[in-house]
Amino acid sequence: MMRTRPLKVALLGCGVVGSEVVRIMTTHAADLAARIGAPVELAGVAVRRPDRVREGIDKDLITTDATALVKRGDLDVVVEVIGGIEPARTLITTAFEHGASVVSANKALLAQDGAALHAAAEEHGRDLYYEAAVAGAIPLIRPLRESLAGDKVNRVLGIVNGTTNFILDKMESTGAGYQEALDEATALGYAEADPTADVEGFDAAAKAAILAGIAFHTRVRLDDVYREGMTEVTAADFASAKEMGCTIKLLAICERAADGESVTARVHPAMIPLSHPLASVREAYNAVFVESEAAGQLMFYGPGAGGAPTASAVLGDLVAVCRNKLAGATGPGESAYTRLPVSPMGEVVTRYHISLDVADKPGVLAQVATVFAEHGVSIDTVRQQGKDGEASLVVVTHRAADAALTGTVEALRKLDTVRGVASIMRVEGE
Amino acid sequence: MMRTRPLKVALLGCGVVGSEVVRIMTTHAADLAARIGAPVELAGVAVRRPDRVREGIDKDLITTDATALVKRGDLDVVVEVIGGIEPARTLITTAFEHGASVVSANKALLAQDGAALHAAAEEHGRDLYYEAAVAGAIPLIRPLRESLAGDKVNRVLGIVNGTTNFILDKMESTGAGYQEALDEATALGYAEADPTADVEGFDAAAKAAILAGIAFHTRVRLDDVYREGMTEVTAADFASAKEMGCTIKLLAICERAADGESVTARVHPAMIPLSHPLASVREAYNAVFVESEAAGQLMFYGPGAGGAPTASAVLGDLVAVCRNKLAGATGPGESAYTRLPVSPMGEVVTRYHISLDVADKPGVLAQVATVFAEHGVSIDTVRQQGKDGEASLVVVTHRAADAALTGTVEALRKLDTVRGVASIMRVEGE
C-alpha cells in the first residue's frame, strides 16, 4: 500500500554524481515510489555555484546554504555527494541531529571518521549508508555487511581505483611508460588534472580502510592502511612480470592474520598471475575478491566510478534508507565488536620479486643468497642474466614477513657487488 | 547492547547444507550474537532419519515431526533446507502462521510458488529470505533487490548451474563428449546419480524465474521460462564454437524487451565469445552478469553450490531476519508492481549458428540464402566446406526473432539439397 505523503530528500552537492541522482529521481520517480512504498520528493539542493545551469532542477530548490538546508527539520534523507572532510562531516552530523538519515559517497570522510559518524547516527536513531563510497556501482558494502554477516571473511583483495587500473592496463597492453599512460588517461577523462589521490594510492587506501573495517567487524582508519603509489612502476617491471606469467595491478589488500588475532590493510602495486581473475580486469573497471570461511572465493566486478554508476549505488541506499524510515527502523550500523588491532606493514606476510644490478663476477650469487639467508628469507627462484660485464639478478622469494624482506633489500643495497636495486615488487594472488 | 533472551531458530532438513548451518551456528555463536544483537539458539531440527549420527546436535532437538516443530509458536526463524515442493510449502506457510519468519534455499518452490509464499509472509508480517536459492554463496538476490533498487535492470545473463558448467568446461578443455564429461562429473560428485534436473536445465530455469522476477519487479514462474538442456551439445559444437572465437555455456538469460513492455526468461546452451567474462568461468563455479541502466555491467562470481557456500548464504539471511525481528520490522518483500508480461521464446531476439550438411553442387548456397531471406533473417557469415561430394555450410545469422530463426531452420530441413541440420546453437554475449 502506497503512502501518499512523500519522503523528503535533500542533496548536498550537484556535480557529476549529484546531477545523475537528480536525473534518476526525476525520470524514475514512479519506480522509486513503488519500490519504497511512498513517493520521494527532492526538497533542496545545496551547491557552491547557484548560477550554473542545472537541467531538470527547480530553481527554488537550489541554495548555497547547506547548513540551513540540513537544519530544516522536515528532511527524511540527506544525500551527501560533496566529498572531502569539511564541510561534509559537520553537515552530516547536523543532518542526524535534525532528523535525517544520510546516504554518502564520501570515502575519505568515512575512512577517517567512520566510527564517529556511525556513533552520531546511532545516537540519533538514523541510518548512515555509503555503498557508493567504495567501487562505485559494485555492490560491496551491502554484501559484506549483510550477505556475509553469517560468515567469516579472511581476505579482501581488490582493484578499487579505476584511474590507476586504466594506466596500468595501458602500460601492459601498449608497453607505454607511466607518464605516457597517465597522459592518455588524463586526455580521456579517466585521470584528474591533479592525479595525486589516485596514483599515490590515497583513494584506494580510503576504500581499503572502509572494506577492512566492515569485513573484519573492527575499526580500520585511513592512517592504519599501508600505502604505496604506482608512479614508480616501469615498462621494465611489466616485462619482468610477463616473464613470470604475471601482470601488475594496484591492489587493496585486507587480511586477517593467520592466528586471527589481528588484521592488516595495505595498498601497493603487485604482480599477480595472469590466471587470476583480477589480472583480466581492464580499463577503469574495478573488481574485488572476497575470501571467506564458508562461502569460499567470491568476486564482484563492475564500473568503479562515473556519475551514473555511482548514482546507482546512492539510489540503492536511498531506497533502503527510505524503506527503513517507513518501517520505523534503522538498518545495520557499525559492527566493530571484534576490536582486532591493525598490524603494521612489517608483519604482513608477502613475497618479493627483486631485480638487482650486480657485478658479473664469481661469488656474487653466493653473497646475495647469504643476505637472504641471514634475514630468514627463503628464495623461490633466481634468474641471472649477464650483459657487458654487468649482470642482472632476479630473485623471487618465498613468503616472509615484510619487515624481513625490506631488511633483506636494505642489506643487499650495502653489498659492494650490488650496483643497484632496479625494482622491488610484491607478488600476490597465488 | 545485547539482548540476552535468545532468538529461536528451527531447522527443517539436516543434509549437506543443514549440517553446515548447524556447524556454523555452533562454532561462530558469539560472532552471530554480536552481529545480530542477541544470541541465536537452535530450537529444533526436523529430519527424516532421526537415528543417523549428527555431530554437534543435541539429540533432544531432533524430531521427525516437522509440522509440530513449526507449530510450536515460540520460534523466531525457520530455516528450510529440505528442498522440493511438499512438504516444504506447507511447512513454510505453517511457520508464518505460527509466528516465525523463514529462510529458505528452495529454488524449485520459490520459482513455482514465490508469489503465494510472499503473500503469506506479508499477511502474517514475517520475512521470507532466500539468497541461498540462487547461485549458492554468491550474493545476488540482495544486490538485485536492495543495491540495485534505485536502478533499472535490463538484462541478467548467468551461469547458474555448477554441474553443467563443470561438464561443459571438461568438454571444452579435454575435447571429451557429453557422456564422458558427465561420467567424470558424477565420479567427482559434481553430478547427482540422476542428473536430469541439472543437465535438462530445470535447476537453472528455476533460478532464472527467481532472478527475472526480482530484476524486473514482476512475476515470473518456472513455467514462463523457456528451457533447453545441454545433453545434445557435442564435441563438434565446441569445435565450431572455437572457430568462431567462442565457447559454449549453459546460460540463464532474463531480458527486458527493447520496448520495455515485456520480459523474457530462458535457459539454453549458447556460444559466447572467449573474450566475455562468463567464458572463463571454470569448473563448477557460477557467475552472473547484470546489466542495468545506471550501474552498467556488473558481475558476481563464486561457488554456486556446496554445503558450506550455501550455508553462508543461509546464515547471512538468518542474521538479517533476526535483526529485522529485533527491530520489529520486516525486510523488503515481493516487488511485482510492474506486472510486465513474460513473452514466449518466439519473441526473443537472438542469433543462430547453424551447421548444415548439404549436397556439394552449384546453386545450394543460393537456395539456402533464399530461405533465410524469405523468413526475414539476415545472414552475418557463411562458411562452406566440401568433403567427398557432400559439403557443410555454417551460417551465422544477424539478430532476429527466435520464431523467425526456428521457422528458417524448419524450411531448410525441407530443402532437397539439405541432407541434415548438424547443429543449431544460439550466440549470446556480444
Side-chain angles (χ1 to χ4, degrees):
Chain A
M1 198 163 61
M2 181 78 74
R3 197 179 79 152
T4 48
R5 187 178 77 72
L7 289 154
K8 294 191 176 178
V9 178
L11 187 64
L12 308 181
C14 195
V16 177
V17 176
S19 56
E20 272 298 308
V21 169
V22 172
R23 187 189 65 75
I24 297 172
M25 279 181 68
T26 311
T27 55
H28 294 310
D31 283 312
L32 291 173
R35 296 173 192 183
I36 290 167
V40 185
E41 175 189 304
L42 187 64
V45 182
V47 299
R48 272 184 307 176
R49 287 166 293 184
D51 38 357
R52 217 164 125 186
V53 176
R54 294 172 204 279
E55 271 178 50
I57 306 183
D58 186 339
K59 276 187 181 170
D60 296 343
L61 294 178
I62 300 211
T63 175
T64 54
D65 192 345
T67 304
L69 181 59
V70 297
K71 281 185 174 173
R72 269 174 45 166
D74 66 338
L75 300 177
D76 295 289
V77 188
V78 168
V79 173
E80 183 270 307
V81 286
I82 307 174
I85 305 302
E86 284 294 353
R89 177 170 52 193
T90 303
L91 291 170
I92 289 173
T93 49
T94 308
F96 290 147
E97 289 161 12
H98 290 80
S101 285
V102 171
V103 174
S104 171
N106 195 327
K107 56 198 155 265
L109 179 57
L110 267 302
Q112 184 179 307
D113 288 315
L117 292 174
H118 273 296
E122 194 175 350
E123 181 192 342
H124 296 283
R126 320 286 178 226
D127 271 327
L128 171 61
Y129 276 46
Y130 45 90
E131 182 67 77
V134 181
I138 311 173
L140 260 182
I141 306 282
R142 184 172 281 102
L144 279 172
R145 175 169 282 165
E146 303 184 40
S147 306
L148 291 167
D151 206 335
K152 183 178 182 182
V153 176
N154 288 319
R155 195 151 187 256
V156 177
L157 178 75
I159 295 167
V160 294
N161 180 275
T163 304
T164 48
N165 199 59
F166 183 89
I167 295 170
L168 292 169
D169 185 29
K170 282 294 148 200
M171 290 177 72
E172 192 204 23
S173 58
T174 67
Y178 165 71
Q179 189 59 48
E180 193 186 333
L182 171 62
D183 290 346
E184 186 178 347
T186 311
L188 292 171
Y190 286 113
E192 292 179 46
D194 176 0
T196 310
D198 293 317
V199 301
E200 295 295 353
F202 290 101
D203 174 86
K207 293 163 178 169
I210 295 170
L211 289 176
I214 294 172
F216 305 131
H217 297 266
T218 190
R219 281 186 188 150
V220 180
R221 287 168 50 102
L222 182 56
D223 295 346
D224 298 324
V225 182
Y226 175 82
R227 181 190 52 74
E228 272 177 37
M230 44 69 72
T231 59
E232 287 170 25
V233 176
T234 63
D237 290 329
F238 271 101
S240 296
K242 200 171 179 182
E243 279 177 26
M244 283 189 64
C246 287
T247 186
I248 298 168
K249 295 290 187 188
L250 184 71
L251 298 178
I253 307 174
C254 313
E255 288 176 313
R256 190 189 293 275
D259 65 3
E261 299 299 314
S262 64
V263 300
T264 53
R266 53 191 164 119
V267 169
H268 56 71
M271 293 185 182
I272 56 166
L274 290 171
S275 59
H276 194 284
L278 290 180
S280 52
V281 176
R282 300 274 167 238
E283 305 202 319
Y285 276 86
N286 282 194
V288 177
F289 241 74
V290 177
E291 293 178 16
S292 72
E293 194 179 272
Q297 294 193 321
L298 303 171
M299 188 172 79
F300 304 81
Y301 166 96
T310 308
S312 170
V314 165
L315 283 156
D317 280 353
L318 179 65
V319 169
V321 167
C322 287
R323 282 172 176 167
N324 290 343
K325 183 96 183 188
L326 292 182
T330 53
E334 187 191 30
S335 176
Y337 70 92
T338 64
R339 299 176 193 278
L340 291 170
V342 185
S343 299
M345 187 62 196
E347 293 178 22
V348 168
V349 175
T350 180
R351 297 174 63 199
Y352 271 30
H353 175 284
I354 305 167
S355 228
L356 302 170
D357 293 327
V358 296
D360 192 5
K361 59 183 184 185
V364 172
L365 179 55
Q367 269 193 324
V368 166
T370 302
V371 170
F372 279 89
E374 283 169 356
H375 288 80
V377 174
S378 112
I379 291 174
D380 181 15
T381 61
V382 181
R383 205 174 58 245
Q384 194 161 8
Q385 284 177 316
K387 43 169 189 182
D388 312 329
E390 295 266 312
S392 80
L393 207 59
V394 174
V395 181
V396 182
T397 73
H398 280 297
R399 285 164 62 80
D402 203 77
L405 290 161
T406 53
T408 306
V409 173
E410 284 316 300
L412 288 171
R413 284 187 203 279
K414 288 178 190 151
L415 288 182
D416 286 346
T417 48
V418 172
R419 305 275 160 81
V421 179
S423 89
I424 310 165
M425 186 84 62
R426 293 181 187 87
V427 183
E428 299 287 340
E430 290 175 311
Chain B
M1 198 162 63
M2 181 78 74
R3 196 180 79 151
T4 48
R5 188 177 77 71
L7 289 154
K8 294 192 176 177
V9 178
L11 187 63
L12 308 182
C14 197
V16 177
V17 176
S19 56
E20 273 298 307
V21 169
V22 172
R23 189 189 63 76
I24 297 172
M25 280 181 67
T26 310
T27 55
H28 294 308
D31 283 313
L32 292 173
R35 296 173 192 183
I36 290 167
V40 185
E41 176 188 304
L42 187 64
V45 182
V47 299
R48 272 185 306 177
R49 284 167 294 183
D51 38 356
R52 218 164 123 187
V53 175
R54 296 173 202 277
E55 271 179 48
I57 306 182
D58 186 339
K59 276 188 182 172
D60 295 344
L61 295 178
I62 301 211
T63 174
T64 53
D65 192 346
T67 304
L69 180 59
V70 298
K71 281 186 175 174
R72 268 175 45 166
D74 65 339
L75 300 178
D76 295 289
V77 188
V78 168
V79 173
E80 183 271 306
V81 286
I82 306 174
I85 306 302
E86 285 293 355
R89 178 170 52 192
T90 303
L91 290 170
I92 289 174
T93 48
T94 308
F96 290 147
E97 289 159 11
H98 290 81
S101 285
V102 172
V103 173
S104 171
N106 194 328
K107 55 200 157 266
L109 178 58
L110 267 303
Q112 184 180 306
D113 288 316
L117 291 174
H118 273 294
E122 194 176 349
E123 181 193 342
H124 296 283
R126 320 286 179 226
D127 272 327
L128 171 61
Y129 276 47
Y130 45 91
E131 182 67 78
V134 181
I138 310 174
L140 262 183
I141 306 282
R142 184 173 279 105
L144 280 173
R145 175 170 281 165
E146 304 185 39
S147 306
L148 291 166
D151 206 334
K152 184 179 183 181
V153 175
N154 289 319
R155 195 153 188 256
V156 177
L157 178 76
I159 295 166
V160 295
N161 180 275
T163 304
T164 49
N165 199 60
F166 183 90
I167 295 170
L168 291 168
D169 185 29
K170 281 295 148 200
M171 289 177 73
E172 193 204 23
S173 58
T174 66
Y178 165 71
Q179 190 58 49
E180 192 185 336
L182 171 62
D183 289 345
E184 186 177 349
T186 310
L188 292 171
Y190 287 112
E192 292 179 47
D194 176 0
T196 309
D198 294 317
V199 300
E200 295 295 351
F202 291 100
D203 173 87
K207 293 164 179 170
I210 296 170
L211 289 175
I214 295 173
F216 306 131
H217 298 265
T218 191
R219 281 186 189 150
V220 180
R221 287 168 50 103
L222 182 56
D223 294 346
D224 298 322
V225 181
Y226 175 82
R227 181 191 51 76
E228 273 177 37
M230 46 67 74
T231 58
E232 288 170 24
V233 177
T234 63
D237 290 329
F238 271 102
S240 296
K242 200 171 178 181
E243 280 176 24
M244 284 188 64
C246 287
T247 186
I248 298 168
K249 295 291 187 188
L250 183 71
L251 298 179
I253 306 175
C254 313
E255 288 177 313
R256 189 189 293 276
D259 66 3
E261 299 301 313
S262 65
V263 300
T264 53
R266 52 190 164 120
V267 168
H268 55 73
M271 293 186 182
I272 56 166
L274 290 170
S275 59
H276 194 286
L278 290 180
S280 51
V281 175
R282 299 273 166 241
E283 305 203 320
Y285 275 87
N286 282 195
V288 177
F289 241 74
V290 177
E291 293 178 18
S292 72
E293 195 178 272
Q297 294 194 320
L298 303 171
M299 189 173 79
F300 304 80
Y301 167 96
T310 307
S312 170
V314 166
L315 283 157
D317 280 353
L318 179 65
V319 169
V321 168
C322 287
R323 282 173 176 165
N324 291 343
K325 183 96 183 186
L326 292 182
T330 52
E334 188 191 29
S335 175
Y337 70 93
T338 65
R339 297 175 192 279
L340 291 170
V342 184
S343 299
M345 187 62 196
E347 294 179 21
V348 168
V349 175
T350 180
R351 298 173 62 199
Y352 271 30
H353 174 284
I354 304 167
S355 228
L356 302 170
D357 294 326
V358 295
D360 192 5
K361 59 183 184 184
V364 173
L365 180 55
Q367 269 193 321
V368 166
T370 302
V371 171
F372 279 90
E374 283 168 356
H375 288 81
V377 174
S378 109
I379 291 174
D380 182 17
T381 60
V382 180
R383 205 174 58 243
Q384 195 161 6
Q385 284 178 317
K387 45 168 188 183
D388 312 330
E390 295 266 312
S392 80
L393 207 58
V394 175
V395 181
V396 182
T397 73
H398 280 298
R399 284 162 63 78
D402 204 76
L405 291 161
T406 53
T408 306
V409 172
E410 284 318 299
L412 288 171
R413 284 187 203 276
K414 289 176 190 151
L415 289 182
D416 285 345
T417 48
V418 171
R419 306 274 161 83
V421 179
S423 89
I424 309 164
M425 185 84 63
R426 294 183 186 85
V427 183
E428 299 287 339
E430 291 174 309

